[in-house]
Amino acid sequence: MKRRILIFMGAALVLASCGSKKKIAELEAKNKEVQDLLNTCTIKLNTCLTEKDALSKQADYLKNNNSELINNVGNLTNLTAKGAQNLEKSLESLKEKDLKIYRLQDALTKKDSVTLALVTSLKSSVGINDPDIEVNVDKGVVFISIADKLLFKSGSYVVSEQAKEVLAKVAKVVNSKPDFECMVEGHTDNVPFTGNAILLDNWDLSVKRSTAIIRVLTKDLGVNPKQLIAAGRSEFIPLVDNNTSDNRAINRRTRIVVLPKIDQFYEMIEKEMKNMKKQ
């Protein structure tokens, strides 16, 4: 009986021992599974924390960058406004310059028209087919060049009677242009003047001839003295070399230069500019 009991108890212990080992194995497997899951979660958690830090830094960067962009936009807006104002001023300046250029071109065109009309008027008025009298344009001004043999005797500054006929026709044109001025230029050759004690040199002779013609124009022919300018150029503006007697005769001459008052054209331009600004 006892033996049976012992066998039964032994069997029970064996069975209990087998059951415990199986349970322990199951628990160990379950524990390993939980540990693996815990490790996986830990790795994911660390990854998330790392990503969180990166995102936080990126958020801070974007926030700061956004502030800078807002400031830059504000500055850009101010710069753009200033740029627009500067551009507008530049355009206005260009318009004014273009207008001035246009007015100057218009004035020059009118001056050229006046010059052409004056040349035509002088040529028709003087009307002498003589190679010693020339009506022409030099550097934008109209002039009448008269050889000295038609005006004066050699070494003299007394105007001849023949010259007065030519000067009368010149005076007629000058009197019809009260807004013009005329400069009477005396020119000599390079032979030193030794005529008398009154005239020292060719400078004196050239000026005396100029003033002599001006006296004829004003006293005898009624030209307004305010329109006339006396000038002596002596021997220093020759037309040809003073190396022959014929060339020296060419250089001895009187030029009557007709000068429209250019300031009137500029006054016209200024007036037009003011009118444009008022419109």
Side-chain angles (χ1 to χ4, degrees):
M1 186 67 179
K2 290 181 179 180
R3 186 177 178 183
R4 289 181 179 178
I5 292 171
L6 290 172
I7 292 172
F8 179 77
M9 290 178 65
L13 288 171
V14 170
L15 290 172
S17 176
C18 290
S20 296
K21 287 181 179 179
K22 184 178 180 181
K23 189 70 173 178
I24 290 171
E26 290 177 355
L27 291 173
E28 287 179 349
K30 189 68 174 178
N31 182 60
K32 185 177 182 302
E33 183 180 347
V34 172
Q35 189 65 42
D36 291 341
L37 182 60
L38 178 61
N39 292 337
T40 300
C41 290
T42 301
I43 292 171
K44 288 183 177 181
L45 177 61
N46 291 334
T47 302
C48 289
L49 292 174
T50 302
E51 290 178 353
K52 178 185 176 184
D53 291 338
L55 289 173
S56 179
K57 291 179 181 179
Q58 188 174 6
D60 291 339
Y61 170 77
L62 290 175
K63 183 178 179 181
N64 294 332
N65 194 44
N66 185 55
S67 298
E68 291 180 2
L69 287 174
I70 291 172
N71 292 331
N72 289 337
V73 168
N75 293 334
L76 183 60
T77 301
N78 293 332
L79 290 174
T80 303
K82 291 180 181 178
Q85 292 175 355
N86 291 335
L87 180 60
E88 186 177 354
K89 290 180 180 178
S90 298
L91 290 174
E92 288 296 328
S93 177
L94 287 174
K95 287 180 181 178
E96 289 183 4
K97 288 180 180 178
D98 288 342
L99 182 59
K100 288 180 181 179
I101 291 171
Y102 172 78
R103 297 299 178 186
L104 284 171
Q105 290 174 340
D106 185 54
L108 290 174
T109 301
K110 289 181 179 179
K111 180 179 179 296
D112 291 340
S113 300
V114 170
T115 299
L116 179 61
L118 186 58
V119 170
T120 304
S121 176
L122 283 170
K123 284 185 175 180
S124 62
S125 297
V126 174
I128 298 176
N129 294 321
D130 193 315
D132 295 319
I133 300 175
E134 181 183 7
V135 178
N136 215 328
V137 179
D138 181 22
K139 297 179 180 179
V141 296
V142 181
F143 68 90
I144 305 167
S145 183
I146 308 172
D148 268 13
K149 67 182 181 180
L150 294 180
L151 300 175
F152 308 101
K153 293 181 180 180
S154 177
S156 172
Y157 53 86
V158 178
V159 180
S160 68
E161 290 299 322
Q162 184 183 5
K164 290 180 181 180
E165 294 179 8
V166 177
L167 294 176
K169 295 179 179 181
V170 174
K172 182 180 178 181
V173 176
V174 176
N175 287 333
S176 68
K177 307 289 183 183
D179 291 333
F180 287 12
E181 293 179 340
C182 292
M183 181 166 61
V184 182
E185 291 182 348
H187 295 260
T188 70
D189 58 27
N190 66 341
V191 177
F193 179 80
T194 57
N196 54 57
I198 298 175
L199 302 178
L200 299 179
D201 51 24
N202 282 332
W203 277 112
D204 278 355
L205 178 60
S206 64
V207 174
K208 271 289 190 181
R209 286 180 169 178
S210 172
T211 55
I213 290 174
I214 285 178
R215 288 189 183 94
V216 172
L217 290 173
T218 55
K219 293 183 178 180
D220 299 341
L221 301 173
V223 174
N224 187 348
K226 293 181 179 179
Q227 291 182 249
L228 300 178
I229 304 168
R233 307 302 297 270
S234 188
E235 63 199 63
F236 300 104
I237 313 292
L239 295 176
V240 293
D241 291 334
N242 285 293
N243 52 9
T244 66
S245 59
D246 288 340
N247 282 358
R248 286 191 290 273
I250 292 173
N251 289 331
R252 294 192 301 271
R253 67 201 188 279
T254 296
R255 286 206 330 170
I256 299 175
V257 184
V258 184
L259 304 168
K261 292 184 178 180
I262 303 301
D263 57 330
Q264 293 180 350
F265 290 105
Y266 288 99
E267 287 175 5
M268 177 194 68
I269 294 170
E270 185 178 359
K271 181 178 179 181
E272 290 295 333
M273 289 287 291
K274 290 179 179 178
N275 290 337
M276 289 295 294
K277 289 180 178 180
K278 291 178 181 178
Q279 294 177 359

